[in-house]
Amino acid sequence: MDTSPPAALTTQMASEIAEQPAAARRTLDALLPEQPRLRELAAGRRRVLLVARGSSDNAAIYGRYLLEVAAGVPAGLAAPSVATHYGARLDLSDTMVISVSQSGATAEIVETQEWARACGAATVGVTNVEGSPLADAADVALVTRAGPELAVPATKSYLTQLVALAVLADALGEAPRGDALDRVPAAVEELLHTDVGAAAEALATTDRVVVSGRGLLLGTALETALKMEETCLRPVRGYSYADLRHGPISVVSEGLLAVLVGAAEGPLAEPMVDLVRDLHDRGARVLGLGGTSDFADECDLHLAGPDLPETVEPIASIVPAQLMIEQMARRLALDPDNPRGLKKVTQTDR
């Protein structure tokens, strides 16, 4: 079967992926001046809770790691149903609550932000829509500058959420940011030229896929798995490296393709090399994204990551995955702009 994508087809998803360098730069320019307000809002607050669903939840996972690793602020992921269904009353007077929603209109997230304020929290809304309920009700609104996003899969809105969370973590940290954030748009631009054809072909012709990463890049791995599921209609499991090493490793066997997201530096770079070898011993093939040169050499297929410090690497590392998944969908004769059964704004029952 010929699984080559239609050569002349340009999708909305592909167009929005290509807009990301400019969207990242606009978002940095808009949000860096908000850092003094964020520091003032955080004064006297000892911890951060992040509230999100879907792709925004994967962005929040990055934010959680970054706040703890780079800013030294205890952070965690809140369960919205604690507010919307259980109506629990918590003392959040020492807490900053960050609510993340691309539309700023998901009722569950807006309601959870209102609950957090009633419990004494300071609130920050991260959204792509100025004037949305989330933005209007937050103490500080970090409005990303992705521009209108028409494809159902979130690409540029997700990436700019990562930028916003990096700006926030930088504001709450004690060390100056240097040029790391400033280098992000150029790194995103460079990755747009990645040749993802072989990777997309391998995924399109494989029924069994797992995705794994760890630490600051865990959110990237989970977002890659989610995008593959919603855009290509394939059941894909996303695991942290640590979780995969436990029970799920038993399902790894010949015929499985493991997509591993690695860091180019940091304490978790080398363990990913060991994981590649372990998966090979169990008969799996490995498609690597980013990582060290040793990691790349061990993988069956490899897509380069950005030349960035680990703290901001995840902002750009999602780009090759987005390109790969858009092309995978077309190879499967699917419309990546309008995945079956999905809408742009997802509403839960509350």
Side-chain angles (χ1 to χ4, degrees):
M1 180 180 69
D2 181 9
T3 58
S4 300
L9 181 62
T10 298
T11 66
Q12 188 68 47
M13 183 179 179
S15 297
E16 290 171 353
I17 292 170
E19 294 171 18
Q20 291 180 123
R25 172 48 59 195
R26 289 193 303 266
T27 300
L28 283 172
D29 290 345
L31 299 189
L32 285 171
E34 297 294 326
Q35 288 188 318
R37 293 182 64 206
L38 292 169
R39 283 190 284 267
E40 181 180 355
L41 186 66
R45 311 275 174 171
R46 297 189 308 107
R47 57 180 175 151
V48 170
L49 286 177
L50 296 112
V51 180
R53 291 290 195 199
S55 284
S56 298
D57 202 35
N58 295 330
I61 289 170
Y62 165 65
R64 175 196 174 186
Y65 273 99
L66 188 64
L67 282 160
E68 296 196 329
V69 170
V73 178
L77 303 180
S81 59
V82 170
T84 60
H85 283 71
Y86 291 101
R89 305 306 299 175
L90 305 181
D91 180 1
L92 299 180
S93 58
D94 66 344
T95 306
M96 174 185 281
V97 170
I98 316 298
S99 300
V100 190
S101 167
Q102 291 145 19
S103 67
T106 301
E108 182 184 32
I109 305 304
V110 174
E111 187 175 338
T112 301
Q113 180 177 259
E114 294 171 353
W115 164 85
R117 172 180 277 112
C119 290
T123 59
V124 175
V126 177
T127 178
N128 192 44
V129 181
E130 192 165 12
S132 62
L134 193 75
D136 284 349
D139 293 318
V140 174
L142 297 181
V143 180
T144 58
R145 299 302 195 272
E149 189 173 59
L150 302 180
V152 171
T155 54
K156 61 180 182 173
S157 63
Y158 171 79
L159 186 141
T160 53
Q161 284 179 340
L162 301 185
V163 171
L165 291 168
V167 168
L168 169 69
D170 180 67
L172 302 189
E174 296 181 0
R177 64 183 173 89
D179 68 346
L181 276 171
D182 293 331
R183 290 167 53 195
V184 166
V188 173
E189 175 70 40
E190 183 175 353
L191 289 174
L192 290 178
H193 305 289
T194 304
D195 182 355
V196 299
E201 176 69 12
L203 287 166
T205 55
T206 303
D207 291 329
R208 297 171 57 218
V209 178
V210 298
V211 185
S212 185
R214 196 172 185 185
L216 284 157
L217 285 153
L218 174 59
T220 303
L222 297 180
E223 176 65 6
T224 299
L226 175 62
K227 280 290 170 289
M228 214 176 298
E229 286 189 316
E230 68 183 9
T231 308
C232 300
L233 310 182
R234 291 287 181 86
V236 179
R237 291 300 304 269
Y239 297 100
S240 78
Y241 165 101
D243 288 338
L244 180 60
R245 282 288 199 187
H246 287 79
I249 199 74
S250 64
V251 306
V252 175
S253 60
E254 188 171 349
L256 181 134
L257 178 61
V259 180
L260 302 185
V261 183
E265 59 179 36
L268 298 176
E270 285 309 310
M272 293 302 290
V273 181
D274 294 336
L275 180 59
V276 177
R277 294 169 181 152
D278 189 1
L279 294 172
H280 278 158
D281 288 344
R282 296 169 184 270
R285 291 184 300 153
V286 177
L287 164 58
L289 305 180
T292 64
S293 58
D294 287 344
F295 176 78
D297 290 343
E298 291 285 345
C299 293
D300 300 284
L301 293 164
H302 181 261
L303 300 178
D307 180 17
L308 290 171
E310 186 187 11
T311 51
V312 294
E313 184 180 4
I315 303 175
S317 66
I318 191 61
V319 174
Q322 293 170 338
L323 294 168
M324 171 182 77
I325 292 164
E326 187 273 344
Q327 203 171 113
M328 175 187 173
R330 292 194 286 126
R331 288 171 186 267
L332 294 170
L334 298 171
D335 178 5
D337 296 338
N338 297 287
R340 185 180 68 206
L342 295 181
K343 296 183 292 185
K344 190 63 183 170
V345 179
T346 301
Q347 298 288 5
T348 54
D349 53 354
R350 273 180 70 197

